[in-house]
Amino acid sequence: MRLDRGPIRPAADATHPGFVLRDETAAAGIHFVHHRPTFDPKIASIEPHVAALGASVSVADFDGDERPDLYFTNSRFGEPNALYRNRGDGTFEEVAASAGLADLNRPGDGVSMGAVWGDFDNDGREDVLVYRYGYPALFRNVDGRHFEDVTAHAGLRRWVNSNGAIWVDFDRDGLLDLYVTAYFRDVDLWHLETTKIMHNSFEFATNGGKNLLFHNLGGGKFEDVTDKMGVGSTRWTLAAASADFNGDRWPDIYLANDYGPEELYLNDHGRRFVLTTAGLESESKSGMSVTLGDAYNRGRLDAFVTNISERGYLFQNNNLRLNQMPETGRFRNVAEGALADAGWAWGAQFGDLNNDGANELFVANGFISADRGKNYWYAMSKIAGANARFFEDAATWPPFGNASLSGYERSRVYLNRGVAGWLDVANKVGVTDLYDGRAVALSDLANHGAVDVIVANQNQPAVLYRNHPDSTNHWIAFRLVGTKSNRSAIGAEVLLESGGLTQRRVVDGGSGFASQNDRRLHFGLGAREWVDRVVIHWPSGARQILPRPPIDQFVTVVEAQR
Amino acid sequence: MSNATHVTAAERNAFVRSWERRSKLDPRYLIAFLITLVLLAAQLRYHMFGGYERLVLALAACMATEAVLSWFDRGKIANLLSAYISGISLTLLIKPQGGTLWPFVLGGFLAIASKYVLKYRDNHLWNPTNFAVSALLIAAPERISVLSHQFGNDVATNLVIWIFGLVIAARVGVLHITLTYVVSFLLLNSVRAAALGQAVLPEIAPITGPMYQLFIFFMITDPRTVVRGRRRQIVVAVLIALMETLIRFGSDKGWPLPTAFSVAPAFLALALVGPAAKWLDLRRIGRQTAVPAPSRAAPAKLREAEGDSSPIARGAR
């Protein structure tokens, strides 16, 4: 296997990463601040821990103006979610209330944990599912400006304490199906009958909520096919991602599970999913997020899974798992050094930030930043190694108080240097905030050939990092429109070949942690002035080849009808 | 009926003979069996190694160091069983950053080298694994952590190890050390919890974890580093528990201790108290044996008088 296929130009290095990220949040008019939830007073002693999730960001062009918009979720009763419409002049306007997507955090319904966009009814407008600790909410995009709650009609009103969901057309019928992950089992966190709600192991827990797969029947209705398809993991799933890992043209599902090993469900021709070990079982950890990308330009989708590291206490280490499924039926973990240890890592995304043809990795970090002088790690170490009975009950945990737990950690920006390894250049490129990062999404917000980074921070302000790459590198981006496939083209994979450069990307229906990237696929080309060819594998199974597409621009590709 | 009685008696005699024969075994074989059992449970049930190369490197480093240093020190290669036990212990205990492998090599070297370098009156003072893990944790907490929750937090597996551990501890004559430490831990940390106004359960929870299993069955009872005499061994076990409680108290109060102390207070307590106790013990014995002996039988009688006739002590010599 070659790991050293790099750009023609000299590889980027620490002194010259080839891009700068500038915090331009305020200038863009984004003033979103996340508020964490509050729960039943019975678990107040560890509420900072239990309520440490919910900040999310997803990208979608909801109004069809070909400019990506941003949706942030909030997690406290009464606090609104925010939908930022991209004005196209570098600024955004907040329109969630008028769109009907603001007031989603209500007693009885639950609080938002994230959102994923997809055109489930194939009407050409992006719809959105908001998953909550509570009832999920499905909104149909009525006219590009207003949304209609169709949850009950869709048959999705079912309590799930969820931190993630993805759109995936698992049976390739052209309709987007929905996989909703569950964290806590389906208890009402505001009216607890017991405080025994926590995990039953720190690395092998199986008492989480049950993940659910909903089959899109058409006509706006969904059917629960979880048991029939065999994907009802109860492993405290925090994130899911989907792609065809084994090359059989059927989308598989990869899970990052907290308190447990990652899981890979291989799709058996849309008839059922088969849980396979694939080398993922040997390092049982705390999966926080999973993102897919071609790490070494092999034309494969590899998986990067974030985990927890804290000096002295715990090195669960991030995993960069190279996809060797077609040959060996396994993934191989190659993360080491700085890439393996980012602190308490959360959302991460692959993206070519310097347009040199190789993916960088942006990783958000930090769990709970409170009193800098108090560290909960020692308290947690008392129960973490103990018998499960000591921590299944939230009431027996040492009180959290105002302590920090892996707080004030900075994000990492890993420069991809091929075989020379991944180098953290966050400080060099201007990423210096110490917020408790959760969700990361990538999008070329200005349609100018540079991938920007949006980070949703827990209980803190969101940050927009505008990317300013070296202007000398070329790029190309694709906007895919499905016809036989789902219209959003979620699950479509694009393989680009250009002067020795090979790279694969997938249109994601949710990726990272509580996030979704711009579904337009961006490729950096370095100094290459042409693309030899592009192969598109549509979710329908169709294959489409584009010879020599124009570069330095967005290319819209409509799925061929035959 | 009478025949049956005779058969039962014969069987019992065979059992007793077998039991007595096993009691003459070098206790390290029993300990090696137990640590191998822990290792197998860890890997087969929990995939705990994180790579077989860790096991290979730790074992190789320990055994090679033992072989080389014993050759230089004594002119012959020592029995490598102790090195085997140390290698497996290190594999289980060390959790490195990323795919780092050097802690297993350096840890193995430190563990075994400490036996040949840090000596007093021809006896080493630190339990080799305890020395290596404590040293690595103090020197490089940004590179290594220790076993904590990787053993599944499971009753069944822990119970098997506890049962085997207790039986073997009884067989090799160190059960009193194990039990003294466990009781002291429970009492002292309950008192600490009460003094600090904290709930008791989280404070006594650690002893149910795998790190403590390794600690009470393999470190604190190490035949070569325990003091001589049952009563003294009990006192030292109490002192180790007391030191650990003090370290935990300091961590509770936010004293500016090195990270290692909060991460593995039991290991650090043993690393501090154990060698001091052993040094004092060796010094005491040295003074006593320095008195002209009236007869050749005197040293043996002296040991008997100290209650030092356990198989563990025999194995230690």
Side-chain angles (χ1 to χ4, degrees), chain A residues 201-204 281-282 311-317 335-336 340-341 378 381-388 390-391 396 398, chain B residues 46-47 95-98 141-145 148-149 152-153 155 201-203 205-206 208-210 248 251-252 259 262-263:
Chain A
S201 168
F202 266 86
E203 287 214 339
F204 301 91
E281 77 288 356
S282 62
R311 67 191 301 265
Y313 284 98
L314 185 63
F315 288 114
Q316 289 187 309
N317 306 313
E336 57 185 23
D341 176 7
Y378 165 64
S381 73
K382 296 174 186 173
I383 55 167
N387 189 268
F390 286 94
F391 54 78
T396 58
Chain B
Y46 303 113
H47 304 282
K95 300 291 158 198
Q97 181 201 47
E142 69 283 357
R143 291 286 180 269
I144 76 150
S145 60
S148 61
H149 56 267
N153 312 98
V155 179
L201 276 182
E203 307 309 321
T208 63
R248 286 190 174 276
S251 297
D252 285 323
T259 304
S262 304
V263 170

Side-chain angles (χ1 to χ4, degrees), chain A residues 96 134 165 332 512:
Chain A
R332 185 163 68 94

Side-chain angles (χ1 to χ4, degrees), chain A residues 38 65 98 108 158 215 232 300 349 358 406 410 426 429 434 509 514 527 529 554 562:
Chain A
T38 56
D65 62 359
S98 62
R158 173 171 170 176
H215 180 219
R300 289 277 173 81
Q349 298 292 357
S406 290
R410 60 182 181 78
V429 301
L434 297 178
E529 294 182 339
F554 285 87
R562 287 189 303 159

